Amino acid sequence: MPRYLYNRGVTAVELLLVLSVLAIIFTIAISPFSSFRDTQSLNSAAIQIVSLLNEARSATVASKESSQYGVHFEIGRAVYFKGTMFSEPSSYNKEIILDASIEVSVITLEGGGNDVVFEQLTGETSNYGSITLEAKGSAGRQKKITVFRTGISTHN
């Protein structure tokens, strides 16, 4: 065999080319997983918040400790609280911290504000409206939580 076939090695350009192709393939393969993760995080956050709203409504209707209950919303969390107004700190508060990739982007409640408070006996609320959750890294990926005047909450 000719001697030049034995001395042939990998050049820096060939190595960079192979690494570039691998990086492109990796990016294409990872993208659907990132999208799936954002969707799952949004679904999970919406379910947790609807559950927290339902818990506050149930506690109010049951007149737990003869009080009303509500849920306070901020960009990165939702807080279950006792009473007609949110205050911190309180041993009654129970908070849900949203995943770092999810945020409360829009709060549109009747009468304004960030709190949904339920009425004793009926479970209705005058703070009905919607809360929109959004995946920070994925423009357009949103989940909307609707609180009806009856106090019933859903997400879509």
Side-chain angles (χ1 to χ4, degrees):
M1 275 204 193
R3 183 177 172 99
Y4 65 85
L5 290 177
Y6 292 111
N7 292 333
R8 180 154 164 78
V10 177
T11 66
V13 173
E14 291 171 329
L15 186 61
L16 285 174
L17 183 63
V18 169
L19 289 176
S20 297
V21 169
L22 287 175
I24 291 169
I25 291 171
F26 180 74
T27 302
I28 291 169
I30 283 298
S31 183
F33 293 114
S34 176
S35 176
F36 176 75
R37 182 187 176 284
D38 287 347
T39 300
Q40 292 304 326
S41 293
L42 274 172
N43 285 337
S44 176
I47 289 167
Q48 288 179 320
I49 289 173
V50 168
S51 176
L52 200 63
L53 285 161
N54 289 337
E55 184 178 347
R57 182 176 186 271
S58 293
T60 301
V61 170
S63 293
K64 181 179 175 185
E65 297 186 21
S66 300
S67 186
Q68 290 176 262
Y69 293 83
V71 178
H72 172 78
F73 295 95
E74 294 177 11
I75 288 176
R77 69 182 186 148
V79 184
Y80 166 100
F81 65 91
K82 178 182 177 184
T84 57
M85 292 179 53
F86 173 71
S87 65
E88 255 182 338
S90 173
S91 60
Y92 290 101
N93 291 357
K94 181 192 319 184
E95 73 177 359
I96 293 173
I97 303 290
L98 299 177
D99 184 275
S101 65
I102 306 297
E103 68 181 4
V104 175
S105 61
V106 180
I107 302 169
T108 309
L109 299 175
E110 185 68 27
N114 296 345
D115 301 341
V116 174
V117 180
F118 299 97
E119 300 294 327
Q120 286 182 312
L121 301 177
T122 64
E124 293 181 350
T125 182
S126 56
N127 313 110
Y128 57 93
S130 65
I131 298 95
T132 304
L133 304 177
E134 186 171 351
K136 292 179 185 177
S138 302
R141 274 203 205 282
Q142 298 179 334
K143 249 334 180 183
K144 189 174 188 177
I145 297 167
T146 304
V147 180
F148 297 100
R149 181 151 181 60
T150 60
I152 303 297
S153 305
T154 64
H155 67 88
N156 60 355

